[in-house]
Amino acid sequence: MRLEGKVALVTGAARGIGHGVALRFAQEGARVGVLDLHEAACQQVVDEISAAGGEAVALAADITDEAQVARVVEALRTRFGVCTVLVNNAAVMPAGRIHETRPADFDRCVAVNLRGAYLVSRAVIPGMLSVNRGSIIHMASITGVLGLPGIAAYSATKGALIALARAMSTDYAACGIRVNAVSPGTIDSPMLHDFVAAQSDPERIRREFDQIHPIGRVGTIEEVANVCLFLASDEASFVTGANFPVDGGVGVKGEQPQDEAEAPCP
Ligand SMILES: NC(=O)c1ccc[n+]([C@@H]2O[C@H](COP(=O)([O-])OP(=O)(O)OC[C@H]3O[C@@H](n4cnc5c(N)ncnc54)[C@H](O)[C@@H]3O)[C@@H](O)[C@H]2O)c1
C-alpha cells in the first residue's frame, strides 16, 4: 500500500499506459481519478478498479478545454479530497514529416500533449500547495531527446514536457511538490499497435522495435506503471526535476527502425 492516503489523477487513463498506471496506483491504495475523453470508457476502468477492491471515479473531459479540466479537478476534490498525485499521460501522435502534416494536426498535438499537461497541472497545483505536498509526473518519451523518423510534432511536445518538468521542479521544490518526467521507449500498447499497423510492412517494423532495444524486446505497460508508482510514492521524496528513461537501454544506444518515413528525399 505504497500510495495509501493519496488521491491521484491520471489523464488518458481509459487505455494503454494510463490505464495500467491507474490500476497500479489503485492496487497500492490510492483513490484514483480516471480521466479520459469518454465517460463510458472511464467508467469501465472505474468498475475494473472497484472489482479489485480499489476506489476510483470516472472523470470524462477533454484536457484541451480549460473549463472541463476545472470541472473534473473539482469533482475529484469533492469525491476524494485534494489531489496529491498527477500523471499527465494523455497524448496524441500524428504521423508524418513536418511538410506532410496539417497545421490542425500539429496544433491538436501541442494542445493535448503540452498545453493539456499545463492546464491539468495548473488546475491541480493550488490544492497541492494548500497541503504542501504533491507529485506531478509528465509522461514524456525517448523521442523527446532522440530523433525518430516521422513523428516530429509529437517528439517536439515530448521534449517540451521534459523541459517543463525540470522548470516546474524548481518553482515548487520548496513547496513540497515534486515534478518529474518519465520517458518510455517503445511500449506494447494500443498506441504502438496503431503506429505499426499504419506502416507498409507492420511485421518487420514490429520485429525491429524489439531488436533496437538492448534488452531485446519492447517494454510493458506495467514496467512504465512501476516507475510512475515509485515517483508518486514517498520513496521518491528526494527526487525532483528528473527524467526517468524506461526504455530497455535504447536511449543510450540510439538506433531506430528503418520505416518508410526515412525514404530518401525526392
Ligand atoms: N506506447 C508507447 O510506445 C509510448 C512510448 C513513449 C511514450 N508514450 C507515452 O505514454 C503515454 C500513453 O501512451 P499510450 O501508448 O498508452 O497511448 P494511447 O493512445 O493508448 O492512450 C492515450 C489515451 O489518452 C486519451 N486522450 C487523448 N487525447 C485526450 C484528450 N484531449 N483529453 C483526454 N484524454 C485524451 C485517449 O483517449 C487514450 O485513452 C503518452 O503520453 C505517450 O506519448 C507511449
Side-chain angles (χ1 to χ4, degrees), residues 93-172:
M93 187 172 75
R97 294 176 291 182
I98 286 298
H99 73 282
E100 296 158 342
T101 54
R102 295 179 310 161
D105 293 334
F106 184 89
D107 289 349
R108 179 75 186 163
C109 183
V110 172
V112 176
N113 301 8
L114 179 58
R115 188 169 179 275
Y118 155 77
L119 283 181
V120 184
S121 300
R122 181 175 179 276
V124 158
I125 286 169
M128 290 180 173
L129 289 172
S130 73
V131 294
N132 221 22
R133 69 196 155 87
S135 171
I136 298 175
I137 299 161
H138 298 317
M139 193 63 72
S141 164
I142 49 152
T143 64
V145 289
L146 290 180
L148 196 71
I151 48 170
Y154 170 84
S155 304
T157 64
K158 294 301 175 177
L161 283 173
I162 294 167
L164 188 67
R166 204 179 294 130
M168 284 175 66
S169 73
T170 64
D171 284 335
Y172 298 111

Side-chain angles (χ1 to χ4, degrees), residues 11-19 35-38 61-64 88-93 108 111-113 139-143 154 158 161 182-192 194 221 224:
T11 72
R15 70 169 202 175
I17 293 172
H19 172 241
L35 190 160
D36 212 296
L37 287 169
H38 304 295
D62 182 334
I63 58 163
T64 66
N88 279 313
N89 167 81
V92 293
M93 187 172 75
R108 179 75 186 163
V112 176
N113 301 8
M139 193 63 72
S141 164
I142 49 152
T143 64
Y154 170 84
K158 294 301 175 177
L161 283 173
V182 169
S183 286
T186 311
I187 304 300
D188 196 352
S189 65
M191 185 183 263
L192 174 67
D194 293 349
I221 285 169
V224 180

Side-chain angles (χ1 to χ4, degrees), residues 1-5 25-30 53 229:
M1 300 298 270
R2 290 153 74 188
L3 299 184
E4 194 158 24
F25 280 14
Q27 269 174 6
E28 294 289 338
L229 169 61

Side-chain angles (χ1 to χ4, degrees), residues 71-94:
R71 176 180 52 74
V72 293
V73 168
E74 180 54 21
L76 180 64
R77 195 193 60 76
T78 306
R79 177 72 185 272
F80 291 143
V82 171
C83 172
T84 50
V85 176
L86 167 63
V87 184
N88 279 313
N89 167 81
V92 293
M93 187 172 75

